[in-house]
Amino acid sequence: MRILLLGGIGEALQLARRLACRHELTYSLAGRVRPRADLPYVVRVGGFGGVEGLRDFLRRNNIELLLDVTHPYAAQISRHAVLAAKQAHIPVWAYRRPPWQPEAEDNWQPFRDWSELRIALAAFSRPLFTIGLEPLRHSHEIPPDQHWLVRCLETQPEPSPRLTVLNATGPFGLEEELHLLRHWQVDVLISKNSGGKAVAAKLQAARVQGIPVLMWQRPELPAADEEFDAVEVIAGRLGC
Ligand code: NAP
């Protein structure tokens, strides 16, 4: 079967490796991370140009099944996938990674967007942001009594005495996360509810340290034709 797999997370790579033996697979990346060179299938990199661009790609390449295995916060491409597959009259299946759930000792406070987060942040002085580059777009808003620690993929913002950027990519272990929270005297953690194991230790570290977590709520996604919470099940359904 000719399959287009929208990837960008670890599970997408796992699935691609399994499907490649039996199917004609194209693996698609947005372009943030460099593709590995040793992959046994076609890799394409970069956006399609919206819903129409994706629909045209599906038609031009006679794709029979679209698999959305993107990050739970990559909402735009997931929305485009559902619309484009419909227009191209092919099915779309989606992997929806299960969210993390709080434990009894956790103090998680939800927020929906930056304006809600800003209000919640006022009670703290040394936040650690683990939500990508968004805080750097607001670094001019840092109040005089706060220091922001931002962990994100490689970027070099303007130096500021109230901002420290740590360029790092997971996975991170518990000891590492505890050291980070203690060393920087972090008093609140800001996180996406990404789910998975790779970056979950920060939540455990916050629990150990008794630090609250401001948790960005997941974006709403349109329903795919079929949805899965494990890529092994998708592989099984496709005979791999
Ligand atoms: P997004 O906001 O949903 O997508 C923005 C645009 O990037 C899309 O409209 C599309 O461009 C292009 N795009 C996204 N994923 C693509 C893919 N797999 N193949 C080809 N084009 C793609 O996504 P995002 O939040 O910027 O994330 C970009 C990628 O990074 C995603 O593939 C996601 O799986 C991965 N990722 C995201 C996060 C996160 O926290 N958001 C974390 C880890 C990994 P066109 O409209 O031009 O087609």
Side-chain angles (χ1 to χ4, degrees), residues 101-143:
Q101 300 296 338
E103 297 193 3
E105 323 86 273
D106 285 331
N107 174 5
W108 291 9
Q109 300 164 29
F111 69 93
R112 274 175 303 189
D113 52 28
W114 186 263
S115 55
E116 284 192 9
L117 174 59
R118 222 171 124 184
I119 294 166
L121 272 178
F124 303 98
S125 56
R126 298 187 66 85
L128 165 61
F129 294 87
T130 59
I131 54 172
L133 299 177
E134 185 68 13
L136 301 180
R137 295 185 195 108
H138 299 270
S139 56
H140 58 282
E141 299 170 17
I142 306 176

Side-chain angles (χ1 to χ4, degrees), residues 22 45 55 100 103 105 126 146 166 178 180 193 236:
R22 206 176 164 145
V45 179
R55 177 202 60 206
W100 294 313
E103 297 193 3
E105 323 86 273
R126 298 187 66 85
Q146 284 188 358
L166 301 176
L178 281 170
L180 183 73
N193 193 339

